[in-house]
Amino acid sequence: LIQKAQAGDTTEIQIDTSAPLKDGVYKLTEKNFDTNGWKTYLNITVTGGKITKVDYNNINEEEKLKTEDDEYQKNMKKKTGVGPKEYVPQLSDALIEHQNTDGISVVSGATHSSHIFKMYAAQLINAAQKGDTAPIEVDNLVYAEEDK
């Protein structure tokens, strides 16, 4: 969806949220690291027409997961009240429970991450409805912050 818009394709995209899911593993990753050195990935496994496994996280250039970065966890939790050790499993479990993005609530303190998760999950659900297991790479444009 995002890739079509970035490519200038303005044709309307039809999404049938009630279409059945086809079994397989569906993968999405961001192409670029953000200004903090992280990029998001999301993989879902569909078995028996249901989402049975969600592997969601952020990874840095050293291939360290955000949920394993204690310093990041401490700083984010101090600032927003929640860190990746809390919001990553919350979002992942919600997708398995609801089987779509409609029932997933935004995690307070992780609003941006919640919206990204829901947007990427919707793309993977769309791929699973088609049975398209080709990995999706999101060309997330990243602009460095200017020093003031």
Side-chain angles (χ1 to χ4, degrees):
L1 305 173
I2 294 168
Q3 296 81 0
K4 287 182 69 142
Q6 288 175 335
D9 184 346
T10 58
T11 56
E12 187 175 348
I13 299 170
Q14 298 292 327
I15 298 176
D16 178 5
T17 57
S18 64
L21 305 180
K22 296 182 177 156
D23 291 0
V25 177
Y26 301 89
K27 299 179 178 188
L28 179 148
T29 186
E30 291 178 332
K31 180 178 181 181
N32 305 297
F33 292 97
D34 66 20
T35 56
N36 295 315
W38 298 99
K39 67 179 177 179
T40 301
Y41 73 85
L42 176 59
N43 304 320
I44 65 170
T45 301
V46 175
T47 307
K50 299 275 186 203
I51 299 169
T52 56
K53 182 178 176 191
V54 175
D55 178 17
Y56 160 61
N57 216 313
N58 294 269
I59 194 164
N60 65 17
E61 293 182 49
E62 291 81 40
E63 298 189 7
K64 185 174 184 177
L65 298 177
K66 193 179 273 188
T67 53
E68 295 174 356
D69 187 327
D70 293 332
E71 187 69 20
Y72 190 95
Q73 170 73 18
K74 184 178 103 183
N75 291 335
M76 184 174 176
K77 191 162 186 171
K78 182 179 178 183
K79 188 175 184 180
T80 69
V82 67
K85 287 183 181 179
E86 290 87 26
Y87 75 77
V88 166
Q90 277 184 271
L91 293 168
S92 299
D93 292 346
L95 182 57
I96 292 170
E97 178 185 345
H98 296 286
Q99 296 292 305
N100 62 52
T101 58
D102 295 339
I104 299 174
S105 299
V106 170
V107 176
S108 181
T111 304
H112 177 74
S113 296
S114 297
H115 287 301
I116 292 291
F117 177 86
K118 289 177 72 168
M119 182 172 56
Y120 290 169
Q123 288 189 65
L124 289 177
I125 288 168
N126 184 252
Q129 289 170 330
K130 297 175 186 172
D132 183 357
T133 58
I136 298 170
E137 183 177 65
V138 176
D139 191 1
N140 57 318
L141 303 175
V142 176
Y143 299 97
E145 295 178 21
E146 292 183 28
D147 293 332
K148 295 183 180 181

